[in-house]
Amino acid sequence: MNTTASPSLRVYIEIEDGRYVAQCVDYDISAEAGSVDAAIDAFIQLYFDYISIAAKFGVEPLQHIPPAPRCYFDLWRESIHREEVFTRVIPAMKERKGCVRRFRSVEFAVPVQAAA
């Protein structure tokens, strides 16, 4: 299992049917909630859940999850050009045997219309 953390995980946030969806760009996983902050918190919790499950079974976290559809890479790139990206450091999680954080932080792209 990889024991080093990569710099960051990229997540694009958009509004779908009045809900905020935090879609990971690097892996096709997402979380949704009623606000931007709640979607961010839900995504980080989901990330920890994936890591904990992987540790339980002794496998590399997220190894079988493909990247998000190409459109999210494009949306991410557009957000970077508009400077709508911010970084949140992933809080330390309790040490568990075989439980390793793959990323030190999450970069969130929140378009102006989603942040309003």
Side-chain angles (χ1 to χ4, degrees):
M1 185 179 294
N2 183 0
T3 59
T4 59
S6 299
S8 61
L9 191 63
R10 299 170 296 171
V11 177
Y12 181 79
I13 297 179
E14 64 183 348
I15 300 174
E16 290 182 7
D17 299 324
R19 303 276 295 165
Y20 293 86
V21 178
Q23 171 64 53
C24 184
V25 173
D26 304 291
Y27 300 96
D28 194 11
I29 58 174
S30 64
E32 70 174 72
S35 70
V36 170
D37 288 337
I40 289 169
D41 292 342
F43 181 85
I44 291 173
Q45 182 59 53
L46 178 67
Y47 170 75
F48 281 139
D49 291 347
Y50 272 102
I51 294 214
S52 295
I53 291 167
K56 180 179 179 179
F57 291 100
V59 298
E60 185 72 23
L62 308 170
Q63 70 177 350
H64 297 295
I65 299 176
R70 179 78 183 166
C71 64
Y72 289 103
F73 286 92
D74 297 338
L75 291 167
W76 175 263
R77 238 184 326 261
E78 290 172 18
S79 292
I80 289 174
H81 293 303
R82 291 190 306 264
E83 298 181 1
E84 298 173 332
V85 175
F86 67 93
T87 300
R88 181 179 287 182
V89 174
I90 298 174
M93 62 188 292
K94 294 177 184 174
E95 291 297 320
R96 292 174 65 183
K97 184 177 181 180
C99 192
V100 177
R101 258 189 341 185
R102 284 191 75 183
F103 300 94
R104 287 188 291 258
S105 63
V106 180
E107 291 182 1
F108 292 94
V110 184
V112 174
Q113 67 272 18

